[in-house]
Amino acid sequence: MISSIASYSSIYVLINLAVALAIGVFMYRQQYIEATFTVRVLTGLGLGVGLGAAMHLLYGGDVATVAVITTTNAYLDIVGSGYVKLLQMIVMPLIMVSIVGAILKLKGASSVGKISALTIGTLLATTMVAAGIGILMAKLFGLTAIGLSSTAAEVARGEYLQGTLASAKAVTLPSLLLSFIPTNPFLDLTGARKTSTIAVVIFSIFIGLSATGIAGAKPLLFASFTQFVSVAQAIIMRMVTLVLRLTPYGVFALMTMVVAESSYADILKLINFVVASYSALLLMFAVHLCLIAGAGLNPVRFAKKIFPVLAFAFTSRTSMGAIPMNVQTQTQRLGTPEGIANFAASFGATIGQNGCAGIYPAMLAIMIAPTVGIDPFTFNFIAQLIAIVTVGSIGVAGVGGGATFAALIVLSTMNLPVALAGLLISVEPLIDMGRTALNVSGAITAGTITSRVLGETNMDVFNSEAELNLDGAEKPV
């Protein structure tokens, strides 16, 4: 009996993989005929949803058929997670050479200070707005944790969050800022610490400033180092290009896995929270577009050009992995200089994430407060909540746990029960997809506004109606 079930599963797994392979061949054919990058990503997204839904419909029944989904996804994960790992592989080298190269061109610390201040200021300001939007949506949709039922998985999740509370309380703003300083930069280049990204940024700034400091006294050495950085930057960017060519396939695999494994019953049970969350995310994205319009740029063109990186962030649920694609989108599609683009992408992955550190913890606090007899819609509570969310967003993603850690910091600081956050575990992946896309949109918005304010934006690139494909060919959008 067991062998017959295994044989049954193997046959259908092979059929699923054959269908996935056929879709991969079709997408490769799109690349061969030079379809635009946006079209290829959108195709991967749509076909991933279609195949995932079909698998869920056909195999989402008993234990034997669910095993087909699990096994199929294990093979698809080679493509999906493999693509994400390749992006993560080039994150640190890209940040380092790009920031060093940018400072060599800037030749001064004042410009670095302006870029950092504008970028971080925009990220924190938008996080403050995001928290306000989260509060507003929680009010409009009447969200509350009172009456929510708990399954065994949700109880276990709540107990886990309670167990990690001590580590969240141990994080203070001074200790967090201190952790940004790279005591061992070579360790940080491996991404070993939670704050490695910002530490690499700081180390790269020191290298760039030190190099510019010897430009006058030792011009030949400075010229040699500049040449070395230029060569390294060219090689790293070529690596980025090679990896990003795999984006449609990675998006397809990741989307198929998410849709196939989703529990539609759990989503329907918490549909009010799901709709409220995505309403908040879309409203905050509209705020980003308003900021772009306020900076004198076309918001429709901006949205169209950043779609591929948002699609990747949506399916992969990793802001850090999106950094290479984020940087290339800003430089090649939006006309933002490499230095500003790298600062925005790097800081945006660890500071002021609008979705994970802004909307989500604010909504949770509003939902949980009534369970302990607190009215969450008083001025004092809301003002305190927005302030805590904004300050707590500094380094949240880098410290670990992303949105979960942000929620722990906010709830514990406001003396609210953290275990109740576990009630939402069943829809966490679905919500996290939208949050990650908004995080990346916020980082790109910060870079674009900073570039525009400093007068560095290449308007010819931004206004171009042609899309620069990863192979360098230009096709109409």
Side-chain angles (χ1 to χ4, degrees):
M1 180 66 177
I2 294 177
S3 61
S4 63
I5 292 176
S7 176
Y8 162 85
S9 298
S10 298
I11 292 173
Y12 284 99
V13 167
L14 289 174
I15 292 174
N16 296 338
L17 294 178
V19 173
L21 180 61
I23 291 174
V25 171
F26 171 75
M27 290 192 294
Y28 177 77
R29 175 64 182 170
Q30 281 188 308
Q31 182 176 336
Y32 181 75
I33 62 174
E34 296 185 343
T36 64
F37 185 58
T38 300
V39 168
R40 300 202 303 270
V41 171
L42 186 58
T43 299
L45 184 66
L47 293 176
V49 171
L51 180 59
M55 287 170 56
H56 185 89
L57 180 65
L58 294 172
Y59 312 116
D62 54 42
V63 175
T65 54
V66 168
V68 175
I69 294 178
T70 303
T71 306
T72 302
N73 282 354
Y75 286 99
L76 290 176
D77 194 45
I78 297 174
V79 178
S81 293
Y83 171 64
V84 174
K85 288 179 180 296
L86 288 175
L87 284 170
Q88 292 171 335
M89 171 188 73
I90 58 180
V91 166
M92 294 303 185
L94 174 64
I95 291 173
M96 187 170 186
V97 299
S98 298
I99 290 180
V100 172
I103 293 176
L104 294 181
K105 295 174 183 176
L106 293 173
K107 294 185 179 180
S110 60
S111 296
V112 175
K114 291 178 183 177
I115 293 172
S116 300
L118 282 169
T119 302
I120 295 175
T122 302
L123 289 169
L124 293 179
T126 52
T127 299
M128 187 180 297
V129 174
I133 289 176
I135 294 170
L136 175 63
M137 290 298 107
K139 173 68 173 178
L140 292 179
F141 284 84
L143 299 182
T144 178
I146 296 177
L148 287 181
S149 58
S150 303
T151 64
E154 289 160 349
V155 171
R157 177 64 170 177
E159 292 175 349
Y160 167 78
L161 293 177
Q162 191 68 42
T164 58
L165 183 59
S167 60
K169 286 186 174 181
V171 177
T172 63
L173 184 58
S175 67
L176 183 63
L177 295 176
L178 188 61
S179 70
F180 292 159
I181 300 175
T183 54
N184 186 344
F186 299 102
L187 179 67
D188 287 320
L189 284 170
T190 68
R193 295 194 305 137
K194 302 298 184 180
T195 53
S196 284
T197 303
I198 294 183
V200 169
V201 170
I202 293 174
F203 181 58
S204 302
I205 291 173
F206 270 92
I207 292 177
L209 293 178
S210 299
T212 56
I214 66 169
K218 301 179 180 179
L220 292 180
L221 286 178
F222 177 76
S224 297
F225 181 73
T226 301
Q227 180 65 22
F228 166 76
V229 172
S230 298
V231 172
Q233 197 166 4
I235 293 173
I236 294 298
M237 291 311 298
R238 180 57 182 170
M239 288 175 61
V240 172
T241 298
L242 292 176
V243 174
L244 291 189
R245 283 181 177 173
L246 303 175
T247 300
Y249 310 101
V251 167
F252 163 72
L254 292 166
M255 200 69 216
T256 300
M257 293 162 57
V258 169
V259 175
E261 291 181 338
S262 295
S263 172
Y264 300 149
D266 289 338
I267 294 174
L268 289 175
K269 183 179 71 172
L270 294 169
I271 190 64
N272 197 38
F273 177 74
V274 173
V275 174
S277 295
Y278 271 90
S279 297
L281 293 171
L282 290 173
L283 184 56
M284 190 60 209
F285 181 66
V287 171
H288 291 167
L289 296 183
C290 289
L291 291 174
I292 294 299
L297 301 172
N298 187 322
V300 176
R301 182 174 290 120
F302 174 84
K304 187 186 298 184
K305 291 192 172 190
I306 69 171
F307 170 78
V309 66
L310 297 189
F312 166 71
F314 183 82
T315 53
S316 66
R317 296 165 54 194
T318 168
S319 300
M320 195 70 67
I323 287 178
M325 196 173 181
N326 185 334
V327 171
Q328 192 169 70
T329 297
Q330 291 189 62
T331 56
Q332 295 191 10
R333 295 189 171 194
L334 301 176
T336 301
E338 289 183 1
I340 296 176
N342 274 278
F343 272 99
S346 302
F347 285 133
T350 49
I351 292 176
Q353 295 197 340
N354 293 178
C356 289
I359 290 174
Y360 184 66
M363 291 182 74
L364 279 185
I366 295 296
M367 291 176 63
I368 293 174
T371 66
V372 290
I374 297 176
D375 180 3
F377 297 108
T378 62
F379 175 79
N380 287 339
F381 185 90
I382 292 176
Q384 182 184 11
L385 176 58
I386 292 177
I388 291 173
V389 166
T390 303
V391 175
S393 70
I394 300 175
V396 162
V399 170
T404 300
F405 205 88
L408 286 176
I409 290 176
V410 172
L411 295 177
S412 63
T413 303
M414 302 195 72
N415 295 316
L416 297 174
V418 299
L420 291 177
L423 296 174
L424 305 172
I425 184 177
S426 57
V427 295
E428 177 70 14
L430 177 62
I431 302 299
D432 195 42
M433 295 166 74
R435 290 193 308 239
T436 307
L438 184 66
N439 294 340
V440 174
S441 174
I444 297 175
T445 299
T448 304
I449 290 177
T450 299
S451 176
R452 183 66 169 162
V453 169
L454 296 178
E456 298 290 337
T457 302
N458 186 332
M459 293 306 299
D460 290 336
V461 173
F462 185 92
N463 291 324
S464 173
E465 291 294 338
E467 177 182 326
L468 186 64
N469 277 336
L470 294 178
D471 56 6
E474 290 189 358
K475 302 292 289 184
V477 176

